[in-house]
Amino acid sequence: MNNKKTLEGIKGWLIIPAIEIIISIPSLCFYILTMIISANKLGILSDLFSSRTSFYSIYTLIFSISQIFCIGILTFFYFYLAYLFFSKDYRTPKWYIVVQLFDIIISIIFYILFVFGLSLFSYSNESEIIISLVCSVIWIVYFLTSVRVKNTFINNKPDYMNIVEKIIE
């Protein structure tokens, strides 16, 4: 009888990324909604169709709309990541890393735009970006090195990948 525990399943430390994914989807949707409502109250949406809009306002308008668009893309990525994660798909670790990197990159870009006054919406402040960066690095390293991650996310793997893994081993 083998009493050795296998490290697999969404247990242990993998619960934390699962909670992050679950919480991120509604919070990003709420963030998009508040950005659109704020843009409407600030008159950004009406400036889009106004002939009196200044050159500087056009940049602010473009960057603000692109922020909403990028957060929408990030939300879509989280929906797809949730599907992969909870179906334990083999692509989950790569997509998790991509989503973490995309989130960090847009946070930094949006913060820089906000500091220079080119965007009306601040996605993060300095401390949130640093904390997010540190957490992302920790989780990226975890997803790259964890035995539990390698044993959990194995579904839907094409046959040729199994053959290649056997050859490498």
Side-chain angles (χ1 to χ4, degrees):
M1 185 183 250
N2 189 1
N3 289 337
K4 184 181 172 187
K5 285 186 174 179
T6 58
L7 295 172
E8 62 183 45
I10 301 174
K11 302 174 190 167
W13 290 108
L14 270 180
I15 292 173
I16 296 172
I19 292 170
E20 177 207 356
I21 292 168
I22 292 169
I23 290 174
S24 292
I25 293 171
S27 66
L28 285 170
C29 291
F30 179 74
Y31 187 69
I32 291 171
L33 184 63
T34 57
M35 286 173 68
I36 291 170
I37 291 170
S38 297
N40 191 30
K41 284 184 179 178
L42 293 171
I44 294 173
L45 298 178
S46 62
D47 283 350
L48 183 60
F49 303 105
S50 174
S51 60
R52 298 176 282 137
T53 306
S54 69
F55 188 68
Y56 182 77
S57 296
I58 291 173
Y59 276 121
T60 305
L61 176 68
I62 291 169
F63 288 133
S64 298
I65 290 174
S66 67
Q67 268 186 288
I68 295 170
F69 182 71
C70 286
I71 299 297
I73 291 172
L74 183 62
T75 306
F76 171 75
F77 281 171
Y78 267 106
F79 271 111
Y80 185 62
L81 180 61
Y83 165 74
L84 293 175
F85 192 91
F86 293 108
S87 64
K88 299 179 184 174
D89 194 281
Y90 76 99
R91 296 170 288 193
T92 301
K94 291 176 185 169
W95 270 97
Y96 188 83
I97 292 167
V98 166
V99 170
Q100 291 295 314
L101 292 175
F102 185 72
D103 192 10
I104 290 296
I105 290 168
I106 64 171
S107 296
I108 292 169
I109 291 171
F110 292 166
Y111 176 74
I112 291 169
L113 291 174
F114 183 74
V115 166
F116 287 108
L118 295 173
S119 176
L120 301 174
F121 309 115
S122 175
Y123 185 62
S124 302
N125 60 31
E126 299 96 346
S127 61
E128 289 174 350
I129 290 174
I130 292 169
I131 291 168
S132 182
L133 183 63
V134 169
C135 291
S136 291
V137 167
I138 290 170
W139 287 114
I140 287 170
V141 169
Y142 177 76
F143 268 76
L144 289 173
T145 61
S146 171
V147 173
R148 182 179 298 276
V149 169
K150 288 182 178 112
N151 291 340
T152 300
F153 301 110
I154 56 173
N155 292 344
N156 303 325
K157 193 179 281 189
D159 290 334
Y160 70 87
M161 290 189 72
N162 291 329
I163 295 169
V164 171
E165 285 178 355
K166 288 179 184 177
I167 292 172
I168 292 173
E169 292 174 355

